[in-house]
Each structure stands twice: as structure tokens, then as C-alpha cells.
Amino acid sequence: MSEYETILTERTGRVGVVTLNRPKALNALNSQLMREVVAAVEAFDADDEIGAILITGSEKAFAAGADIKEMQPKTFAQVYGEDLFSQWDRLSSVRTPIVAAVAGYALGGGCELAMLCDFIIAADTAKFGQPEIKLGVIPGIGGSQRLTRAVGKAKAMDLCLTGRNMDAEEAERAGLVARVVPAADLQAVALEAATAIASMSLPIAMMAKEAVNRSFETTLAEGVKFERRVFHSTFATADQKEGMAAFVEKRAPKFVNG
Ligand code: CAA
């Protein structure tokens, strides 16, 4: 029996798949689901046999937000005291690349969870939004910050202030989403992308992820310097030797993750 009740986990080759599984609540993110997603993703991150993680939901909903029914009775003292939603921050410390495959609703915390992943592949049915304002609250899992960095102030303000949804096409145009695919192809395309990542050298993929993420935390000059030093450090790995030798010898590389 699975150790989880609100998610499904499986391994497909070197890809660890986490599927949100509260269909009756459109995968609303309650505290149990938060604990389980964080635990499952951290377990995959700690596993040397896993080179990429895929987080997905159902055809109808990636996740329709934080669980409103669970939040409704809480007081300020409770949400402040438990530092509600702070556990989600642990996903930003995960070093293995994480792909989000989003179909249907990705609203509020659902949009925020997708943005905690490294990039989003969306079905043409996907709908993104930060509708918290309609409930008398604001985003609480980083939406006001990550959405603004992803799509810029104009659209982030529009979404956070009006609470409207944007469809997959608009989300791709705005830079929130890496690719949009027909809904029927979503799982296959996302798994193919995650499998491609997992076929690379894991430490090098981690360095690439770290370098891109550094751009959100630092100046351009410091970021470029960081990138240059990490680039130099790749020459200390067996996988740089193998990757370049394989190119020169016109064969596929065999990375050893070292
Ligand atoms: N929390 C708890 N339950 C939810 C939920 C949520 N976020 N979203 C949907 N559900 C439940 C519904 O209550 C309903 O349950 P019942 O059958 O027991 O009534 C079930 O899921 C199916 O939902 P609907 O009947 O509403 O389905 P629909 O297809 O008519 O509408 C929807 C879909 C437009 C997504 C609608 O469900 C909706 O608006 N959901 C809430 C979206 C939202 O406001 N999200 C933000 C939450 S706040 C947040 O996330 C804070 C943060 O930043 C961390």
C-alpha cells in the first residue's frame, strides 16, 4: 500500500512522477497534500536513481488552489503561528529538476505550485490565475512574487487584482509556460521532457538549474560571474570529458553522473 493518501507516486525510468490525487476537491492543496508532495519530492531528490521529477494533476485540474474549506475557520493567530504554507518553500531547495504538467485549473496555490517547479508544460485546456482576492485574501505561496517575475508587473497586477484566469495560449505568450500541447498529448510530452532531462548528467543538470535560478536572486554581473565559475567547474567532472569526447567521436554520451 502506498504511504500517501492524497498523491500517487511512480518511477518511470529515471523520472519520479508525483500525481496530485484529490479528484473530488479538484486537487485542492490541503495540509496533508502539502506534506505528502513535499515528502515525495524530497524523497525523489535524495534518490540517485532519479534524474528528474514530474508533478502533475488530473485532466480537469492541476490544482484549484489551497483548500478553502480547511482555511475558512482559521484565525490570524493560527495561520501566523503555524506559518501557514511555509512548508511549500522546501520545494525551492530541491536540486533535481522539476517539470510541471498542467491541464485544467491551476488557480491560486495550484498556479503557485506550478511556478515552484522549474518549468511548466501546459495542455491547451489549462487555466492559470491568482483568484485569492475574490476570497478576501492575497496569494500565499509566492504567487505575487513568482508570477511577477514570470510575466511582468502588468499582467501580474491584472491577474492578482481582478482575479481573472488566463488560458494556456495567453500564459505561453506571457512567458509563464514553456510549451502548450494538445491535452491528449500532455502526459507523453511532459514525460518525454523529463526523460530527456534525466538522461543528462545529473550534477550538470543541477548546475544549470542553479545558474538559471541565480538570475532571480542577484545582479546581472554577479549572475554572469557565478555562471562562469560553475561553467569552469564542469571541467572537473567526468561527464564533461565524456560529453565532449562523445561529440568528437560522433557517438551518444554515456554519462556517469560524476
Ligand atoms: N478548496 C476546497 N475545495 C475546492 C476548491 C478549493 N480551492 N476548489 C474546488 N473545490 C471543491 C468544490 O468545493 C467542490 O466540492 P463539493 O462537490 O463538495 O461542493 C469540488 O471541488 C468541485 O468544485 P466545483 O463544483 O466548484 O467545480 P466547478 O467545475 O464548478 O468549478 C472552479 C471549478 C472554477 C475551479 C471552482 O471550483 C473554484 O472557483 N475553485 C476555487 C478556486 C480558488 O479560489 N482558488 C484559490 C484558493 S485560495 C489560495 O490558493 C490561497 C493561496 O494563495 C495559497
Side-chain angles (χ1 to χ4, degrees):
M1 216 183 85
S2 166
E3 59 193 298
Y4 303 119
E5 290 174 352
T6 64
I7 61 172
L8 305 171
T9 59
E10 64 177 313
R11 291 153 181 277
T12 305
R14 287 179 50 78
V15 178
V17 182
V18 175
T19 305
L20 310 184
N21 189 32
R22 294 187 69 211
K24 287 189 184 138
L26 300 183
N27 293 333
L29 311 172
N30 65 5
S31 48
Q32 183 182 4
L33 183 141
M34 172 174 69
R35 279 194 304 276
E36 292 186 354
V37 170
V38 170
V41 170
E42 286 182 341
F44 282 140
D45 191 35
D47 187 334
D48 289 345
E49 299 303 310
I50 294 295
I53 298 166
L54 179 60
I55 302 184
T56 192
S58 70
E59 267 176 45
K60 180 158 187 203
F62 178 73
D67 192 311
I68 301 166
K69 293 167 188 166
E70 187 183 57
M71 283 186 289
Q72 186 197 2
K74 287 182 188 280
T75 65
F76 165 74
Q78 283 172 321
V79 297
Y80 182 77
E82 70 181 86
D83 203 3
L84 183 64
F85 300 142
S86 59
Q87 280 189 54
W88 285 115
D89 297 344
R90 283 162 55 182
L91 292 188
S92 45
S93 302
V94 168
R95 299 175 74 205
T96 308
I98 310 177
V99 178
V102 174
Y105 296 109
L107 303 180
C111 185
E112 293 168 301
L113 173 57
M115 291 190 292
L116 271 162
C117 300
D118 296 314
F119 66 93
I120 301 170
I121 301 181
D124 50 11
T125 57
K127 291 181 188 62
F128 297 88
Q130 298 291 161
E132 290 88 345
I133 196 162
K134 295 196 223 166
L135 300 166
V137 293
I138 72 166
I141 312 176
S144 64
Q145 306 304 299
R146 292 197 178 88
L147 186 65
T148 308
R149 282 165 169 76
V151 306
K153 176 179 168 182
K155 214 171 269 289
M157 282 289 190
D158 178 4
L159 293 180
C160 290
L161 292 176
T162 68
R164 79 173 174 89
N165 296 344
M166 65 179 168
D167 63 19
E169 195 191 313
E170 183 180 359
E172 187 186 31
R173 220 168 41 232
L176 178 62
V177 156
R179 317 182 201 173
V180 178
V181 299
D185 300 341
L186 176 69
Q187 296 304 332
V189 172
L191 188 60
E192 195 184 331
T195 301
I197 295 166
S199 76
M200 308 298 173
S201 163
L202 179 57
I204 303 297
M206 285 175 168
M207 288 180 199
K209 167 171 171 162
E210 201 175 354
V212 173
N213 280 333
R214 184 59 71 102
S215 71
F216 290 102
E217 308 288 350
T218 193
T219 62
L220 179 60
E222 286 301 321
V224 170
K225 196 174 287 176
F226 175 82
E227 180 203 77
R228 183 87 16 85
R229 294 296 171 239
V230 176
F231 168 74
H232 293 156
S233 75
T234 62
F235 285 71
T237 66
D239 286 336
Q240 176 268 334
K241 304 287 172 259
E242 168 62 11
M244 292 196 181
F247 177 82
V248 171
E249 292 160 20
K250 299 186 187 298
R251 60 174 174 82
K254 277 202 179 117
F255 293 124
V256 295
N257 297 324

